[in-house]
């Protein structure tokens, strides 16, 4: 079976005071994603008599009114042919961990019991799932309670989000954004769930509360037969899902012919793995994990770098735009609109949108290039309750087919920047909008002199052309035989050299039957 790879942000929380923005959120998602499971957030910060703000659930009538708006909107989106799912966040007493609850049909009702087992019972026999997130916080204080887990109701878990990684407690990507929730602990991690014998898949999603589909906060991929709600739901309940920390690393994994999330028998103990990865940049390594322990590492770094690139080649590179004036110095420089285009002497094969906020458009595309419009924002976010992270760049990952000695033309705000393909394959480059920052400095502070360029460079809008990666660096296929003596699970963790990660749902292997 050849599955479609469908992408989404499965954790975008819209609040009561944002309901008027629902159409805006929807349009943003449609630009970037293949479907959308919205997660209404029925909580607010309630002040106590003495003024301390505590998070509490909104009054029932407020939630009910908002829920009907979500229902009507979801029905309309479905009628238009867009696969949208109704959902809400459940927290209960905080003793079992936070879960997002989603419905296949549009007739679902919110339930808010205090315990997870009661939530499962409330939806018994219905097409409803509850996906746990930010697992690795303190048990009893909003971390995942594996003692009460139900793998049918919660077939997969959020292994990564804007909070960080809940995979384990000794790896990178720490959970340090929401400092008030404390550091992560090993007692509640995803690996603990597997260790206890649960068949549970993984995905990544933003936990976004201001803009849905934030590139830097992770997203999920679903392996579905078709782009319909029913096919996506089938993929969910069979755990055919995986997650990425940022860019859309494409992964296919089979164990004895069974895709990720599945269950397979290996009577002779042989698990034949077929792996295919198409990265967005150079892949450093593929880690094969058996029961959370590294079984084998396929190291890709060092296997392609000495290859001489001649003639027509395929490659990828990332364009980032943003940075800009320190808003403590230039208080009105919150936003910038960019207009640009890329022209190639060959073929533009693919464009991945690396978008973190509103205001981004691909205006026109052709085989030889594209025109785009980008809006970047400054941020003073401190990581406090529900605040966005300090997102400052927007951009694209381009896949190009062209001669290694050809020249690409990048135009930004009317100025052309020739990019020699061979030079871009050697190194990244950063360009500053010097004329703009010098004009801003004169208008704000008058004519100044300094023995170095700090006053201008530190406040200049910039764009970065990342080092290009040839196809041999990001395209990998491999076959491995894993000899298993007992039942277990096999999954992949894929690292790119730029730090992006992909995690696949395990395949659960039964030995001897």
């Amino acid at each position: 079976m050849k599955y479609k790879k469908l992408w989404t942000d499965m954790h975008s929380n819209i609040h009561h005071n944002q309901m008027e923005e629902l159409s805006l959120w929807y349009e943003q998602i449609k630009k970037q994603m293949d479907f959308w499971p919205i997660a209404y957030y029925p909580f607010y910060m309630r002040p106590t008599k003495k003024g301390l703000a505590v998070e509490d659930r909104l009054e029932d009538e407020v939630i009910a009114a908002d829920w009907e708006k979500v229902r009507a909107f979801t029905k309309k989106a479905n009628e238009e042919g867009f696969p949208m799912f109704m959902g809400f966040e459940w927290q209960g007493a905080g003793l079992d961990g936070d879960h997002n609850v989603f419905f296949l049909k549009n007739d679902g009702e919110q339930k808010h019991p205090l315990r997870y087992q009661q939530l499962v019972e409330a939806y018994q026999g219905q097409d409803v799932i509850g996906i746990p997130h930010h697992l690795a916080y303190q048990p009893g204080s909003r971390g995942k309670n594996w003692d009460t887990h139900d793998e049918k109701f919660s077939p997969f878990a959020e292994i990564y989000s804007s909070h960080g990684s809940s995979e384990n407690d000794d790896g990178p990507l720490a959970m340090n954004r929401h400092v008030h929730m404390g550091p992560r602990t090993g007692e509640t991690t995803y690996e603990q769930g597997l260790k206890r014998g649960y068949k549970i898949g993984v995905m990544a999603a933003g936990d976004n509360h201001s803009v849905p589909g934030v590139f830097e906060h992770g997203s999920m991929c679903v392996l579905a037969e078709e782009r319909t709600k029913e096919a996506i739901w089938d993929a969910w309940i069979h755990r055919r899902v995986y997650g990425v920390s940022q860019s859309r690393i494409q992964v296919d994994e089979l164990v004895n012919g069974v895709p990720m999330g599945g269950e397979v028998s290996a009577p002779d103990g042989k698990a034949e793995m077929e792996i295919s990865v198409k990265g967005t940049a150079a892949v450093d390594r593929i880690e094969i994990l058996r029961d959370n322990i590294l079984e084998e590492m396929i190291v890709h770094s060092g296997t392609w770098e000495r290859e001489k690139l001649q003639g027509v080649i395929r490659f990828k590179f990332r364009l980032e735009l943003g940075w800009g004036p320190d808003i403590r110095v230039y208080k009105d420089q919150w936003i910038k609109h960019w207009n640009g285009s890329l022209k190639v002497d060959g073929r533009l094969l693919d464009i991945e949108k690396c978008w973190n906020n509103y205001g981004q458009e691909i205006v026109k595309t052709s085989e030889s290039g594209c025109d785009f419009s980008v809006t970047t924002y400054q941020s003073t976010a401190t990581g406090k309750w529900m605040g966005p992270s300090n997102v400052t760049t927007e951009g694209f990952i381009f896949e190009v087919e062209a001669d290694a000695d050809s020249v690409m033309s990048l135009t930004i705000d009317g100025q052309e920047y020739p990019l020699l393909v061979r030079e871009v394959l050697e190194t990244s480059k950063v360009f500053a909008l010097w004329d703009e920052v010098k004009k801003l400095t004169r208008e704000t502070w008058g004519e100044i002199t300094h023995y170095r360029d700090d006053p201008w460079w530190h406040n200049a809008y910039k764009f970065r052309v990342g080092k290009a990666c040839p196809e041999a660096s990001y395209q990998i296929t491999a076959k491995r035989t894993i000899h298993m003596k007992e039942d277990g699970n096999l999954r992949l963790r894929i690292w790119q050299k730029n730090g992006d990660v992909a995690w696949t749902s395990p395949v659960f292997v039964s030995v001897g039957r």
Side-chain angles (χ1 to χ4, degrees), residues 94-107:
L95 300 174
D96 298 298
D98 295 0
H99 295 67
N100 285 330
V101 177
F102 299 102
F103 302 86
L104 171 59
K105 300 173 184 176
N106 296 330
D107 56 359

Side-chain angles (χ1 to χ4, degrees), residues 395-448:
F396 311 90
I397 296 172
F398 298 108
E399 184 173 27
V400 177
E401 183 179 80
D403 193 281
D405 292 304
S406 65
V407 179
M408 301 180 292
S409 175
L410 177 65
T411 301
I412 300 293
D413 290 348
Q415 183 169 340
E416 184 180 3
Y417 299 86
L419 302 174
L420 277 68
V421 170
R422 193 166 293 283
E423 289 186 3
V424 177
L425 288 162
E426 289 294 324
T427 185
S428 61
K429 289 189 175 183
V430 177
F431 300 85
L433 304 189
W434 288 110
D435 292 344
E436 187 169 323
V437 71
K438 289 177 180 178
K439 180 174 182 289
L440 176 64
T441 306
R442 283 195 305 271
E443 291 175 349
T444 308
W445 303 105
E447 294 290 346
I448 66 169

